[in-house]
Amino acid sequence: MKTWSEVAEVQPLASKIITNSIKKDRISHAYLLQGGRGTGKEAIALLLAKDLFCEYKAAAEPCNACNACKRITSGNHPDVHWIEPEGQSIKIEQIKNLQKEFTYSGLESNKKVYVIKAADTLTSNAANRILKFLEEPSKQTTAIMLTENSQWIIPTIRSRCQVIDLQPLNPISFENRLVEEGMTKANAVLMRALTNNLDDAFAMNDDEWFASARKLMVQLVGVFSNNPEDVFLFIHNHWVTHFKERKEQEQGLDLLLLAFKDILYYHIGNEDSMVFFAANDEVLEKAAMSFSQEKLVTVLNEILQAKRNLKQNVHPTLVIEQLTLQIQR
């Protein structure tokens, strides 16, 4: 999304609120954009930053062609600062460095913008440091905070921001868009269950690692059904070696969750809701005979708990081992 017109197609209310502020020259000193992955938070932050620096904007639309717009797009504008988590959180040292930057005059104007991605990951000290920043706003400074879960942001920060709620994208419309742009129907169904982001969907669709992950998940379900005594060996020989990074481990659990959801849907005759397996898949049919409906509900809850444990920095190998034990019981 490179224009407010494009934003308006998927986030009409957010687009209207922000563009009206731009046209009336009433841009807030701080925004909190909250919405799920793929709802356009970063695109909106980019557009808002461009509006503040664009040399040739028309009404609320930045030109996207001037020197300022191009550098903001590439992340190289000296007066637009992006902060994102180092590891699992945004730390106080990052905020101190940001504040230090803001003690200097703007290199090309008196305006400065800072964007904090995943603002819900601010440590307590970093959040308090940002709060002081927000309590003493400069007319030339604009803060844009992005989050998927605003409930994890301290209320005193929320109260000092204009909160913009971004609506979830319609999954069927998203699926149709993927098919229109060349993705197979089966893959589009799976992708819309995993992401709302068009670029992410095509990246996964073309990724050999992801294709291997899907095959591995089918194999794992087969081992649970046919050779449960070999599951731990399979986990250590295949899962641990394939899902190495935290993001990959989370994606593995997402795929496993979808696979077991499909088994439950097959059990209750709701094949139209399945996204991972084809309705005539032999592995699916065997798994449906191996797991009762009650057991499948328990398994789904255990996978969700495993995802929470991973978020809480429990060692990933321990997480999958505990999950395996729970599924085997």
Side-chain angles (χ1 to χ4, degrees):
M1 296 184 290
K2 297 180 179 179
T3 67
W4 288 113
S5 298
E6 291 178 0
V7 172
E9 293 178 7
V10 292
Q11 298 294 346
L13 182 58
S15 176
K16 184 176 181 179
I17 290 171
I18 298 174
T19 53
N20 282 345
S21 298
I22 293 168
K23 291 172 183 176
K24 295 176 182 178
D25 196 25
R26 294 180 181 173
I27 294 176
S28 174
H29 78 281
Y31 289 92
L32 176 59
L33 307 181
Q34 58 180 22
R37 182 173 174 80
T39 50
K41 296 185 292 296
E42 289 189 36
I44 291 172
L46 274 172
L47 278 169
L48 186 51
K50 288 177 184 178
D51 271 308
L52 291 166
F53 291 97
C54 180
E55 300 163 20
Y56 306 109
K57 75 179 178 185
E61 290 288 3
C63 71
N64 281 311
C66 69
N67 191 37
C69 283
K70 288 180 178 178
R71 285 188 295 168
I72 290 171
T73 298
S74 65
N76 292 320
H77 197 288
D79 296 321
V80 179
H81 302 268
W82 290 76
I83 304 295
E84 54 186 289
E86 288 185 354
Q88 297 296 313
S89 62
I90 296 173
K91 301 172 177 61
I92 190 170
E93 290 77 13
Q94 293 175 265
I95 304 305
K96 286 180 179 178
N97 291 335
L98 176 68
Q99 289 177 303
K100 185 178 179 181
E101 287 286 338
F102 274 64
T103 61
Y104 308 130
S105 297
L107 294 180
E108 299 180 13
S109 73
N110 290 325
K111 298 176 183 176
K112 282 182 175 286
V113 173
Y114 63 94
V115 183
I116 299 181
K117 296 170 62 175
D120 49 283
T121 68
L122 285 159
T123 64
S124 296
N125 288 336
N128 289 328
R129 193 92 182 190
I130 277 291
L131 180 59
K132 292 180 180 178
F133 218 12
L134 294 172
E135 286 174 337
E136 301 171 0
S138 163
K139 290 183 179 179
Q140 301 296 317
T141 297
T142 303
I144 308 172
M145 307 180 74
L146 315 180
T147 180
E148 293 185 18
N149 190 345
S150 65
Q151 299 306 311
W152 293 353
I153 294 177
I154 59 175
T156 43
I157 286 181
R158 285 176 53 87
S159 66
R160 286 161 176 78
C161 298
Q162 180 174 356
V163 180
I164 305 290
D165 290 304
L166 304 182
Q167 300 304 309
L169 301 186
N170 182 290
I172 300 303
S173 298
F174 182 69
E175 176 189 324
N176 292 338
R177 177 86 178 272
L178 293 173
V179 173
E180 288 170 6
E181 298 202 15
M183 191 177 293
T184 66
K185 173 72 172 178
N187 284 359
V189 168
L190 176 60
M191 293 306 165
R192 56 111 160 146
L194 291 169
T195 180
N196 278 325
N197 186 287
L198 200 67
D199 292 337
D200 285 353
F202 277 100
M204 285 190 285
N205 190 59
D206 297 333
D207 185 8
E208 291 184 9
W209 177 92
F210 182 79
S212 297
R214 290 177 66 176
K215 291 178 182 177
L216 189 151
M217 216 54 59
V218 174
Q219 293 168 357
L220 177 58
V221 172
V223 175
F224 272 120
S225 303
N226 301 316
N227 307 101
E229 68 279 2
D230 294 334
V231 169
F232 267 92
L233 185 62
F234 185 91
I235 289 295
H236 283 278
N237 286 347
H238 299 283
W239 180 290
V240 174
T241 57
H242 192 73
F243 301 101
K244 297 177 182 177
E245 304 296 328
R246 184 57 56 99
K247 183 178 179 180
E248 295 173 349
Q249 293 151 4
E250 291 176 354
Q251 202 162 56
L253 290 176
D254 286 338
L255 288 170
L256 190 62
L257 184 68
L258 293 177
F260 272 96
K261 275 186 178 180
D262 275 11
I263 301 168
L264 181 58
Y265 287 142
Y266 184 83
H267 242 297
I268 62 179
N270 190 12
E271 286 93 340
D272 289 343
S273 296
M274 298 194 318
V275 300
F276 188 85
F277 287 107
N280 58 352
D281 193 297
E282 292 183 5
V283 174
L284 171 68
E285 294 172 355
K286 178 69 175 180
M289 290 188 289
S290 301
F291 293 93
S292 67
Q293 291 183 26
E294 293 77 12
K295 177 61 178 178
L296 287 167
V297 172
T298 300
V299 169
L300 293 176
N301 285 326
E302 293 297 342
I303 297 173
L304 290 172
Q305 182 59 51
K307 291 182 64 176
R308 287 191 289 269
N309 291 342
L310 201 59
K311 288 279 189 185
Q312 294 168 359
N313 292 324
V314 179
H315 194 281
T317 301
L318 180 60
V319 169
I320 189 61
E321 287 179 345
Q322 289 177 333
L323 176 60
T324 299
L325 282 173
Q326 296 294 337
I327 294 174
Q328 284 183 314
R329 286 179 182 173

